Amino acid sequence: MARYLIKRILGMCVVIFLVLTIAFIIVRLAPGDPAALMLGPDATAEDAAALRSQLGLDRPITAQYLSFVTGALQGDLGTSIYFKQPVVSVLAGRAEPTIFLSLFSLVIALVIATPIGIYAAYRRGSLLDQGAITTAMLAASIPSFWTGLMFQRYLATDLGWFPASGYGAPDASFVERMGYLILPSIVLGIVNSALILRFTRASMLDILGEDYVRTARSKGMTERRVVLRHALKNAAIPIITVIGLTFALLVSGAVVTERVFNIPGMGNLVVSAVLRRDYPVIQGALIVVASLYVLINLLTDLLYLLVDKRVKY
Amino acid sequence: MAAPSAASPDANFLALLFSRRAVLLALIVFAAILLLCLFAPLVAPADPMKMSVRARLSPPGGDFLLGADAFGRDVLSRLLYAGRVSLMIGLGVAALASVAGVAFGLLAGFFRRLDGPISRLVDAMMAFPDILLAIALVSILGGSVVNVIIALAIVYTPRISRIVRASTLVIRELPYVEAARALGSSTRTIMFTHVLRNILSPIVVQATFIFAYAMLAEAGLSFLGVGIDPKTPSWGTMINEGRQYLDQAAFLIVFPGLVISVSVLALQLIGDGFRDALDPRLAKDL
């Protein structure tokens, strides 16, 4: 157990180190002089030289890499060219809507997908099962931004059920701000429910085929009890896994959904950063999100140990 | 499931593939979309670039079956031409990611010393959400059709690589590989003749899904305005262009969205069909 933990944590450190390296390389891959690119065509040679030394681009590449990695490990992801502020605080300033959008949509997706997935597995082959699978596949095929635009037009603009876009006035209260996230969360929740539904159904099918389920049935236990007492408990594990897996999907979805609904979150920030050639912000967002993904997946693996006593490492 | 027959494996594969109505329907629909877009110059009712002030935002019906956009250009014709770009990107990404993924996966599966580094690299690449990594790559490479293909291929290569590695690890321990080795086959022969040929089915299945994901990702990048040149019509850029007119002319967005969804759905069904037909053991669900 302790050995497994150490191994996993070491593995995670290696992966995070590689994440940093990849993020470093991606930005260095930019053709031409990054400083000139960032400043645009009107910049003078002196401006470019000043920015180069500010960014440390005039030092040898290995020195740049070392200071980048040591900085990142201490929570220093560089300075935004556009905001002239540390990347970490720029990202943190935009984190609130992204975090709540992701959380709400995850809850919505779980609330939609897990009961349907379990019921579909239980009534395998029924009309409801086939309908659920087809709907899930359809939901996974529709671009999330398209669903977002449609909902925005028909549910927000035409019917006026939800605010159409934005995140409230700068002095809007927390509750008011969250109100702006309802429709985007529904959109993102629907998209993410597809994966969770398929996953829950598949793992429930596995469990329903297990020996102990047959034993419970042959003891004369009612189907309801079999499903609720025996199968459901064991379905917790795959549901935990899928939360880890959907994280990447949630973030990708949030980037696009924030753009649709004009929510000033991290996704919108990254897209604007691309248009402004603010590379440190793009790099910082990549590092933060990928590190979170690695961390969340480590945590879900560790949760296994707590939930399922059979899992031994 | 079909009973084992004496027919050739290929005929068996097709029989299995076509035995599911949904898959057959998906194949027909996808082939139709592919052909219509391929022969766009022959079937398109109008020049996709021809502007007309009077036709501005004409609703569907009449002279313009699917309406006209803000420049009075025929939406149906634009959809057909745009499909060529979107499908080419999907296909290009699937092909490029497969080749690169097979190379990395085989190396990792065959050479123990390379396995650690390649697998960790794959883990790290897969930690980046696909759209975010694609945005970063396109922002560096610049937005052209080729660069979007390269960026998305980089994003999806790890998925293929992971599957190829896993399959290689299983197959290289099988008796026939051992036999080939005992008979003096070189590592290269074993890799390409004995292993690669036997892991083609999971690769084809995964490549079909990547085709679908890549089309969704292209649409997403174009929607965000960080994909291909907005002047090149693709299904994604059409939605991006139409967005301004969401309240007056939603059809500008509805139709491209529908073709993307239908194509992606068809590809996913085809992928599922391939998986079940190529490896009936995997066909336990659905």
Side-chain angles (χ1 to χ4, degrees):
Chain A
M1 170 75 190
R3 266 188 66 189
Y4 169 75
L5 262 180
I6 293 169
K7 215 179 129 192
R8 275 305 312 261
I9 290 170
L10 279 179
M12 185 189 81
C13 294
V14 172
V15 171
I16 287 189
F17 174 74
L18 282 171
V19 161
L20 288 174
T21 310
I22 294 169
F24 177 81
I25 293 172
I26 287 177
V27 170
R28 284 310 122 100
L29 274 180
D33 176 11
L37 264 175
M38 287 168 189
L39 291 170
D42 302 328
T44 61
E46 290 93 71
D47 287 344
L51 183 61
R52 261 200 301 279
S53 76
Q54 185 205 327
L55 295 171
L57 293 172
D58 47 358
R59 291 182 298 154
I61 192 98
T62 44
Q64 289 180 40
Y65 175 68
L66 280 177
S67 69
F68 166 75
V69 171
T70 46
L73 292 177
Q74 292 162 17
D76 173 14
L77 295 174
T79 308
S80 159
I81 312 288
Y82 178 83
F83 294 101
K84 317 244 185 299
Q85 278 172 24
V87 169
V88 175
S89 55
V90 173
L91 289 173
R94 302 295 199 94
E96 183 195 280
T98 309
I99 291 171
F100 284 101
L101 175 61
S102 305
L103 273 180
F104 292 159
S105 51
L106 183 63
V107 171
I108 292 173
L110 285 171
V111 166
I112 300 175
T114 36
I116 300 181
I118 290 167
Y119 195 73
Y122 173 57
R123 290 251 175 262
R124 184 184 183 180
S126 69
L127 212 60
L128 183 132
D129 181 25
Q130 291 183 345
I133 298 170
T134 315
T135 317
M137 197 176 248
L138 194 66
S141 304
I142 301 174
S144 57
F145 61 89
W146 189 70
T147 317
L149 289 171
M150 293 294 115
F151 279 22
Q152 190 179 41
R153 158 79 204 260
Y154 294 107
L155 301 183
T157 309
D158 288 5
L159 294 172
W161 291 352
F162 304 96
S165 73
Y167 198 49
D171 58 345
S173 69
F174 180 73
V175 178
E176 218 174 304
R177 292 200 299 271
M178 293 303 116
Y180 282 90
L181 294 181
I182 298 174
L183 190 58
S185 303
I186 294 174
V187 171
L188 202 51
I190 291 175
V191 175
N192 287 297
S193 63
L195 179 73
I196 300 182
L197 195 153
R198 290 168 85 167
F199 214 87
T200 313
R201 177 181 174 275
S203 25
M204 203 62 189
L205 279 178
D206 281 347
I207 291 165
L208 287 174
E210 294 269 355
D211 289 342
Y212 61 84
V213 171
R214 198 175 31 191
T215 309
R217 280 191 179 132
S218 57
K219 277 198 308 190
M221 215 176 233
T222 59
E223 269 306 289
R224 241 179 91 105
R225 256 177 97 86
V226 171
V227 172
L228 294 181
R229 285 279 300 264
H230 292 266
L232 203 55
K233 235 188 223 172
N234 292 293
I237 294 210
I239 293 170
I240 292 172
T241 320
V242 90
I243 292 177
L245 291 175
T246 43
F247 176 77
L249 211 62
L250 275 176
V251 174
S252 285
V255 172
V256 181
T257 309
E258 283 175 10
R259 201 72 182 170
V260 173
F261 291 97
N262 206 10
I263 297 164
M266 279 171 64
N268 227 332
L269 174 72
V270 171
V271 178
S272 310
V274 169
L275 304 175
R276 293 169 187 148
R277 296 194 179 280
D278 195 348
Y279 292 120
V281 168
I282 304 172
Q283 194 179 45
L286 279 177
I287 293 169
V288 168
V289 170
S291 308
L292 268 176
Y293 176 81
V294 174
L295 210 65
I296 287 177
N297 279 287
L298 177 72
L299 286 177
T300 56
D301 276 7
L302 296 182
L303 267 177
Y304 275 17
L305 292 169
L306 295 176
V307 175
D308 193 337
K309 301 284 181 286
R310 290 170 305 175
V311 180
K312 288 259 161 57
Y313 295 99
Chain B
M1 191 177 302
S5 70
S8 74
D10 293 338
N12 216 344
F13 164 73
L14 288 178
L16 268 171
L17 190 61
F18 293 146
S19 65
R20 283 210 348 234
R21 258 178 302 170
V23 178
L24 185 61
L25 186 69
L27 275 167
I28 293 171
V29 168
F30 192 71
I33 293 175
L34 208 62
L35 287 174
L36 283 172
C37 294
L38 199 62
F39 293 108
L42 297 176
V43 290
D47 178 350
M49 299 297 179
K50 192 177 151 248
M51 301 189 198
S52 150
V53 182
R54 277 176 52 210
R56 233 182 137 254
L57 301 178
S58 313
D63 283 346
F64 301 96
L65 197 58
L66 299 184
D69 70 5
F71 298 99
R73 297 175 298 195
D74 182 44
V75 169
L76 175 59
S77 307
R78 286 183 73 71
L79 273 181
L80 293 172
Y81 278 91
R84 301 172 128 199
V85 176
S86 297
L87 292 163
M88 189 168 76
I89 290 177
L91 189 66
V93 172
L96 204 59
S98 299
V99 172
V102 164
F104 283 115
L106 276 180
L107 288 176
F110 251 93
F111 302 106
R112 261 168 224 283
R113 261 187 305 155
L114 293 176
D115 187 21
I118 292 181
S119 295
R120 290 294 84 71
L121 191 64
V122 164
D123 286 346
M125 291 292 285
M126 286 181 78
F128 297 106
D130 50 4
I131 283 277
L132 204 58
L133 184 56
I135 290 174
L137 288 169
V138 173
S139 77
I140 300 301
L141 295 169
S144 71
V145 172
V146 174
N147 287 344
V148 168
I149 293 178
I150 294 174
L152 289 174
I154 294 175
V155 171
Y156 293 117
T157 295
R159 291 178 193 237
I160 301 261
S161 166
R162 196 175 260 192
I163 287 165
V164 171
R165 171 185 172 270
S167 312
T168 305
L169 285 178
V170 173
I171 286 185
R172 69 163 199 194
E173 303 300 333
L174 293 181
Y176 72 83
V177 173
E178 217 172 303
R181 193 165 281 147
L183 287 170
S185 300
S186 68
T187 304
R188 196 170 9 147
T189 314
I190 293 175
M191 257 163 88
F192 290 105
T193 322
H194 298 292
V195 175
L196 185 57
R197 208 179 275 177
N198 284 291
I199 57 173
L200 274 180
S201 39
I203 298 172
V204 169
V205 171
Q206 198 60 28
T208 315
F209 290 131
I210 287 177
F211 194 149
Y213 301 150
M215 282 177 57
L216 278 178
E218 180 277 317
L221 289 176
S222 298
F223 170 73
L224 295 172
V226 293
I228 61 175
D229 178 0
K231 285 192 220 66
T232 312
S234 80
W235 292 335
T237 55
M238 286 180 75
I239 294 182
N240 193 23
E241 267 185 355
R243 194 186 166 189
Q244 284 176 261
Y245 308 98
L246 181 64
D247 294 340
Q248 309 145 256
F251 65 88
L252 288 180
I253 290 170
V254 171
F255 295 123
L258 280 179
V259 257
I260 296 174
S261 307
V262 170
S263 309
V264 171
L265 180 63
L267 276 171
Q268 298 214 54
L269 283 167
I270 294 168
D272 273 1
F274 274 159
R275 185 183 54 200
D276 297 354
L278 288 166
D279 190 353
R281 277 168 303 170
L282 291 174
K284 59 176 183 176
D285 312 293
L286 198 100

